[in-house]
Amino acid sequence: MPVTSQLLRGLPRTKVLATGLLPCQQHQSHLPPVTPRPASRRPSHMWQSPQHSRSYQTASVLRSYILTPPQVNSILKANEYSFKVPEFDGKNVSSVMGFESNQLPANAPIEDRRSAATCLQTRGMLLGVFDGHAGCACAQALSERLFYYIAVSLLPHDTLCELEAAVESGRALSPILQWHKHPNDYFSREAQTLYFNSLRTYWQELIDLTSPGEVPDTREALLNAFKRLDNDISLEAQVGDPNAFLHYWVLRVAFSGATACVAHVDGSDLFIANAGDARAVLGVQEEDGSFSAHTLSNDHNAQNEDEVARIRGEHPPSERKTVIRQDRLLGLLMPFRAFGDVKFKWSIELQKRVLESGPDQLHENEQTKFIPPNYHTPPYLTAEPEITYHKLRPQDRFLVIGSDGLWETLHRQEVVRIVGEYLTGVHQRQPLKVGGYRVTLGQMQGLLEERKARMSSAFEDQNVSTHLMRHAVGNNEFGTVDHERLSKMLSLPEELARMYRDDITIIVAQFNPHVFGAQRQEGQS
């Protein structure tokens, strides 16, 4: 077995790709071709101006269509996945009991990706959400590659040397990751050799930079993995490939972009590495049984004053008014940190040289035809992550990682409440809130009856991320799921869905509080 396939053999079998199609183009939308009444939100990741999307909305002719509950469930559950960490000798020694995830497309094909894997050397678990823009190629590459870069960064010097010696001699390699993948999660079979060679070059450099007996630092490992992969994506696009498909693919990856939010959980040590506007939130159970939200990542966009100051500080005062316009980087890009997006990183000369030597298909891509306005002192964008550390405690019950499509629709406290109630099977008997709305007695009775029905029906969703997604798409102004609204949002046709909601990707990891309690007692003894 070739060394490439040995190292990557934890991956699932890829689906057969049609000639000329990219792996991410195989995703099919599950939305019926009927147009409902739109929601009011504007899409987040767009390189076009906001005015363009508004004019498109007002020109749309909207109709109403109601899906049946089984049809709604079929759409919501199409991409759900769950994994339970196996117990050993009747005792679960992992701090992660398991996780559940789901995706709901708005783009066609969906531009979000997700990944989950166990590091076989450390037994730590990696969970990640990748939110693509200007296409799905960059997010697809991250979903396949970033965890390998992190896993290699966490390997001690001696193990790296053993890995290199095995490749040199052609001996079998032990996989370094155990992947947990949904059948719809793809990997690029044609690019595996290229990806492996870049990864090998990275670990060869790590061998030279580390010493025997040296223990890798998790924070540094995450930081280096993010930056190195983004650098490799850029370098591969500049070098190109003799294979026409691969040449086109590496350019597509580099010229599209993606944000990334990754969690690494090992024992009671939880690290979050975030670049962009996906978000990680911890669900903490208070003494009274209620749940509170503890945010573990910061959004890198115009709402983050520190990010605005950072970007303005990295460029001359003459660009102060142009580097961020209309809450977007150079007036175009909403996330202020991202992989790929070389239009915001390369010099104008390099962009022109690479595009001139690129395949004709790339010239049909709108994003490659322009230079961002006021483009004077690149790079304007970085993939360097912000690293957050948290020592897990018994009251820390679960972690929610979601693309911004989730957080645009639900407040983090509402997300944690919904997940917490689902996992404990208990709805908090709080006073019914109707906001500032004036409701009749009949409407109030209907709301109370609906809440009573929810409490008595257990939960129709077997997957907590699906349950959360149902609320994200179908919540009404009273905070309850409105089937009519949910139906209309899910029946938006492909060409309109993106106008009213974003792709949504959710991972919910449930922790084992007994492990934290035991570790704490051992530390005190």
Side-chain angles (χ1 to χ4, degrees), residues 30 130 137 195 201 227 238 268 353 467 470 509:
H30 301 284
F130 313 103
Y195 291 172
T201 300
K227 293 167 66 175
Q238 294 175 49
S268 59
R353 178 174 64 80
H467 183 71
R470 188 183 300 274

Side-chain angles (χ1 to χ4, degrees), residues 223-432:
L223 185 70
N224 293 336
F226 271 60
K227 293 167 66 175
R228 178 54 181 248
L229 177 54
D230 191 54
N231 183 73
D232 282 355
I233 287 172
S234 175
L235 184 61
E236 289 161 2
Q238 294 175 49
V239 173
D241 194 280
N243 180 298
F245 174 85
L246 281 180
H247 192 184
Y248 179 44
W249 174 244
V250 296
L251 289 171
R252 280 285 307 276
V253 170
F255 277 90
S256 61
T259 65
C261 187
V262 172
H264 179 265
V265 192
D266 190 358
S268 59
D269 295 325
L270 170 60
F271 285 89
I272 302 293
N274 183 54
D277 50 12
R279 191 180 297 172
V281 173
L282 192 67
V284 182
Q285 189 166 26
E286 305 297 342
E287 291 184 0
D288 64 358
S290 64
F291 288 88
S292 61
H294 178 51
T295 305
L296 293 174
S297 62
N298 296 310
D299 297 347
H300 300 132
N301 54 28
Q303 281 64 56
N304 184 331
E305 294 181 359
D306 291 338
E307 277 295 285
V308 172
R310 177 186 66 81
I311 290 176
R312 285 179 173 160
E314 291 174 353
H315 300 277
S318 59
E319 296 185 58
R320 182 173 180 82
K321 293 183 179 180
T322 60
V323 68
I324 298 173
R325 298 183 59 203
Q326 296 182 316
D327 288 344
R328 295 168 184 248
L329 188 66
L330 298 178
L332 296 170
L333 193 64
M334 290 195 74
F336 289 173
R337 303 192 193 196
F339 284 84
D341 282 321
V342 294
K343 298 292 288 186
F344 298 87
K345 297 173 180 176
W346 288 356
S347 67
I348 294 175
E349 295 73 18
L350 178 57
Q351 292 185 42
K352 290 180 177 179
R353 178 174 64 80
V354 171
L355 287 173
E356 286 173 359
S357 63
D360 294 337
Q361 303 100 301
L362 194 70
H363 302 155
E364 301 170 5
N365 191 314
E366 290 294 327
Q367 279 75 43
T368 65
K369 294 181 178 179
F370 72 94
I371 299 295
N374 303 297
Y375 197 78
H376 306 301
T377 55
Y380 290 89
L381 189 67
T382 180
E384 180 174 330
E386 187 174 9
I387 311 293
T388 305
Y389 173 75
H390 178 79
K391 190 78 169 178
L392 288 168
R393 307 157 299 174
Q395 61 266 38
D396 298 329
R397 305 310 295 267
F398 57 86
L399 174 71
V400 180
I401 310 175
S403 58
D404 65 338
L406 170 66
W407 310 108
E408 286 172 353
T409 57
L410 290 175
H411 188 271
R412 61 182 180 274
Q413 183 57 47
E414 186 71 358
V415 166
V416 165
R417 181 191 65 80
I418 292 168
V419 173
E421 290 179 356
Y422 176 95
L423 294 177
T424 59
V426 176
H427 286 274
Q428 302 300 319
R429 290 187 173 273
Q430 300 172 339
L432 190 64

Side-chain angles (χ1 to χ4, degrees), residues 73-94:
N73 287 339
S74 178
I75 294 169
L76 288 177
K77 297 181 179 183
N79 296 308
E80 67 181 11
Y81 178 82
S82 62
F83 174 77
K84 186 177 186 300
V85 175
E87 294 185 350
F88 301 95
D89 299 325
K91 183 180 180 181
N92 192 329
V93 297
S94 171

